[in-house]
Amino acid sequence: MRDYTVGGPSSITAAEDGLVDADCYKPKIDRELIKQLMMRNNGWAIAHIASWFAALGVFGWLAHLSWGSWWAVPTFGIYGVLYGSMSDSRWHETGHRTAFRTKWMNDVVYYIASFMIFREPETWRWSHARHHSDTIIVGRDAEIAFKRNVPFYKFVLELVGISAVPNEFKQWIRNSLGNFTNNQKEFQPEETFRISMWASRIYILILAGVVASCVLVRSVEPLMFIGLPSFYGHWLVVTLGITQHAGLAEDVTDHRLNTRTIYMGPLNRWIYWNMNYHVEHHIYPSVPFHSLKKLHLAIKDQLPTPYPSLYQALREVVPTLRRQANDAAYFVKRELPLSVNI
Amino acid sequence: MSTEWISACDESSIAKNDVARFDHLDGTYAVVRMSDGICVVMDGLCTHGKAHLAEGFVDGTTIECPKHNGRFNVLTGEPVASPVRVATTVYETRVHNSKIEFRLIK
């Protein structure tokens, strides 16, 4: 049984094995090119965020009009994905502060998207920094979502955030009272706890306001727009996100071995903000979403063969997770290109 | 402070809005050339994670760490974006005979 506790016994082993904040593999790339690819552009991000909010507005309006009829099922279905899944990629990119060139624009969208995806922004900012330092290093990475020795049905239930959202809500309550877990203390500096405390309080107040409005109008409809989409619209981000690292090698420092790049169509890439180029993102987190495809084209010969589609990636991930439930030693070994040094 | 000026590189070898790595004795440094041509030498390793700032991104007066996207003010070394929280050292720098030179604090 693997012990995934952050800061637990596995973290000591990881440190002894030189896996903590280690130097990771970097492909060869022309400095001028990578400089160009790291350039930020407010225009791209504004256009994307505007299109996202426009889609939320249109489908939110249609959902409201269809409330009480069967048409509410597809309209809320789409609204929920826009809210509860698409917010993940916006949360992620603005958390890196690479979406916009202007820092405060990243931060504003980050706080909105964090609420929508149901993540307290400050704690998750630090857990994500740790995730990039020690990607799926057991005992170090606080964001290993698909652990070994876990029955597969539990991952299926996470399609609607069955434990992730309630657990996060409990943490908001604790944080709002000034209580922080050992897990948080492991990767988040104490001087930032105050930010977590206030963010949690504000998020809880917003949810309380929505519940109060439900009581006022004697309908659950307000919660269907704010709050509940974090559950019922969560399934797509799990479906996309499960392909990032699940089933691959733990405790390695080469992102080509613990991360997947998958080709996806334009709709999924709009929803996912090109995070299907996930190996590239982990190697060069300073490259914004709109340049990841160009980065992929520049270095793809030095990376394992990408998965041709989401379906093909899932065909590997699902059986692997099912097997790992009983066989923690099993993992998918990615083949590195022979032409480059390992 | 040492009076000795250490030559890091030719000014022309670094494009504007760029940074290059310079190793000297046991130290590693980031030599930054900003968009207005001002050159600054600072400690090469990020104060947050183990990453060379010379692989980072220069934009205006800030430099971004390539590993976690933390940012420093190039002129002062102060952190301007998390996860960086500790300032880095910025050295007295000059351009002399087309060479970027700096003085180490001793």
Side-chain angles (χ1 to χ4, degrees), chain B residues 4-82:
Chain B
E4 181 191 1
W5 287 94
I6 298 159
S7 178
C9 57
D10 288 336
E11 184 189 21
S12 60
S13 66
I14 306 177
K16 287 181 178 176
N17 259 334
D18 202 4
V19 53
R21 178 173 168 175
F22 174 66
D23 294 333
H24 176 69
L25 301 176
D26 292 334
T28 183
Y29 305 92
V31 185
V32 182
R33 191 168 178 224
M34 292 185 287
S35 55
D36 56 7
I38 292 175
C39 298
V40 175
V41 176
M42 58 204 307
D43 271 343
L45 290 178
C46 179
T47 59
H48 166 253
K50 190 177 151 195
H52 282 279
L53 294 177
E55 294 172 19
F57 175 60
V58 178
D59 189 11
T61 56
T62 65
I63 184 166
E64 182 180 278
C65 170
K67 197 165 185 178
H68 302 101
N69 309 100
R71 295 179 194 170
F72 297 94
N73 182 310
V74 173
L75 297 172
T76 65
E78 289 297 315
V80 291
S82 60

Side-chain angles (χ1 to χ4, degrees), chain A residues 86-99:
Chain A
M86 203 159 162
S87 52
D88 173 73
S89 56
R90 275 62 183 165
W91 164 85
H92 176 259
E93 186 85 17
T94 55
H96 279 282
R97 297 196 176 95
T98 47

Side-chain angles (χ1 to χ4, degrees), chain A residues 195-220:
Chain A
I195 304 171
S196 292
M197 183 172 75
W198 279 103
S200 297
R201 288 174 178 175
I202 291 166
Y203 285 4
I204 290 169
L205 270 176
I206 294 170
L207 286 176
V210 178
V211 171
S213 68
C214 286
V215 174
L216 203 66
V217 299
R218 294 180 182 180
S219 167
V220 77

